[in-house]
Amino acid sequence: MNREFVCFTIISGVISFCYNVVMIIVPLRMTDHGMNYAMVGTAMSAVAVGLMIIKLLIGHLSDRLGTRRFILTSLAGLCVVSLFLARANNIFQFSALLAAIGIFRGIFLSVNGSYVLSLSENAEYGKIYGTIQGISSFLASIGGMVSGVLYVFHEGEYALYICSFLLFAGIIWAIKGLGKKEYLYKERLPIKKVFSSMNKQIFIFCIIVFIQSFAAGPMWNFIIPVYCYDILLLSPAVVGILMSLDELISSPTYIAAGSIVDKVNVVKFNVAFLLVTALGGFLLMKTTSIPFFVGFFLLCSVSVSCTFVGIPKERIKYINKKQKGFELAFISMCGSLGDSLGSSIMGNVAEKTSMQYCMLIFIITYICIAILVILPVIKERC
């Protein structure tokens, strides 16, 4: 554990904490300001738009300009936007500021994978990645709890001020702790040449991340919470606790999985937990018992968290180090696209049929991902 690793881990955690605070408080503030659900949904979608439009550009630039300056830009932008969000009071202000949140968070997500790769040696990537993800997940769950407690104080205004302060402190910490020396590739390659030089396996990972986000994103963002509230008749407080448990149980899972994937056959690891996730989804779909539902949900949380560490570990050997920022940003952008489309499509499926069909899509998706993960191994042996 060197200073640079600790510094980046804390910065990643602070950004996760603040992002979770914003995503919980802002919809509540908009509702309390008299805006309807359609207006809230439209404004919140601006975050996804901001994320998608920035990722490839920043990922490509980071290969030539380095990641440190973009991390500082992300922290500074999120710090200022959090201050303005605390004073926003109409749909146009909320929409513009949420788009800015998406852009500045997208800048960080565009370079964080590249930075983690530069921190690690091949043998340690899983451990480092899992630790960073674990601490970020833990702080995100703390952010969710803080949001609920502090919302009573001027509709969460003080919580947003706290976020701005933490992000400002993150800027100072980043200036002192992040590495200044990066081996950069000054050659400016055309985008067409960049794509043509990518390992074909990267495109398979793009498909995997897309369909995984398409199914898992909506399930965790609204299908599971709404199912618990409308079908299982759990109270809002219990639903909130359940979803916080998801983050809390994911945190140690990321750390443990990160250490394990460095020592085992990562393909077998991924396939095993992808199939466990599909099984968990099947059990969720079939049970009507609340205790069993909670147990199966937490089983899915653990298995999904394992795949979120295992799949990145597997793709690292296919990444071209000269354009790692672009390739990792491209994969991440596919995930954002899947999340956005999945939320829209799964919402329509739930509205026109039932949430059981959403769970069925979730099960089928994870079986398909397991096939895609094992396919290269089968081709090699044939």
Side-chain angles (χ1 to χ4, degrees), residues 125-304:
Y125 178 84
K127 185 176 181 179
I128 290 176
Y129 181 83
T131 301
I132 292 171
Q133 288 291 100
I135 292 174
S136 296
S137 179
F138 174 74
L139 289 178
S141 69
I142 298 297
M145 296 175 191
V146 167
S147 303
V149 173
L150 295 184
Y151 187 75
V152 295
F153 300 102
H154 291 269
E155 298 173 346
E157 186 175 323
Y158 292 166
L160 293 168
Y161 288 145
I162 289 172
C163 287
S164 186
F165 172 78
L166 289 174
L167 289 162
F168 180 76
I171 296 170
I172 306 300
W173 182 240
I175 290 171
K176 291 184 176 181
L178 292 184
K180 296 180 181 179
K181 294 181 180 180
E182 292 182 271
Y183 184 67
L184 304 176
Y185 296 89
K186 299 294 185 182
E187 183 183 2
R188 185 174 183 176
L189 297 174
I191 293 294
K192 184 178 179 181
K193 188 173 181 180
V194 172
F195 273 109
S196 64
S197 62
M198 288 169 63
N199 189 300
K200 299 300 181 289
Q201 189 66 23
I202 295 297
F203 294 103
I204 294 179
F205 280 112
C206 287
I207 296 171
I208 289 172
V209 170
F210 173 83
I211 62 177
Q212 188 174 30
S213 300
F214 181 94
M219 281 290 288
W220 264 250
N221 290 338
F222 73 91
I223 298 294
I224 294 291
V226 172
Y227 184 85
C228 291
Y229 184 66
D230 282 349
I231 307 300
L232 299 181
L233 303 178
L234 300 181
S235 69
V238 174
V239 173
I241 291 170
L242 177 62
M243 300 315 291
S244 292
L245 278 176
D246 167 54
E247 292 280 6
L248 288 173
I249 202 169
S250 295
S251 177
T253 302
Y254 285 132
I255 296 171
S259 296
I260 292 170
V261 294
D262 287 332
K263 301 171 184 176
V264 300
N265 184 306
V266 70
V267 174
K268 292 180 179 179
F269 177 92
N270 288 331
V271 170
F273 281 104
L274 287 165
L275 294 178
V276 168
T277 303
L279 174 62
F282 175 78
L283 295 172
L284 281 175
M285 186 174 69
K286 290 297 182 181
T287 187
T288 56
S289 165
I290 293 175
F292 279 110
F293 185 91
V294 172
F296 296 146
F297 170 68
L298 295 178
L299 171 66
C300 282
S301 295
V302 169
S303 57
V304 167

Side-chain angles (χ1 to χ4, degrees), residues 57-68:
L57 173 64
I58 299 301
H60 186 50
L61 287 175
S62 70
D63 288 325
R64 295 191 299 111
L65 303 177
T67 55
R68 184 174 182 269

Side-chain angles (χ1 to χ4, degrees), residues 24-37 40 88-89 94 151-152 154-156:
I24 290 173
I25 282 180
V26 169
L28 297 179
R29 281 175 62 86
M30 293 177 71
T31 302
D32 285 341
H33 282 240
M35 300 175 201
N36 60 36
Y37 293 143
V40 173
N89 55 24
F94 279 118
Y151 187 75
V152 295
H154 291 269
E155 298 173 346

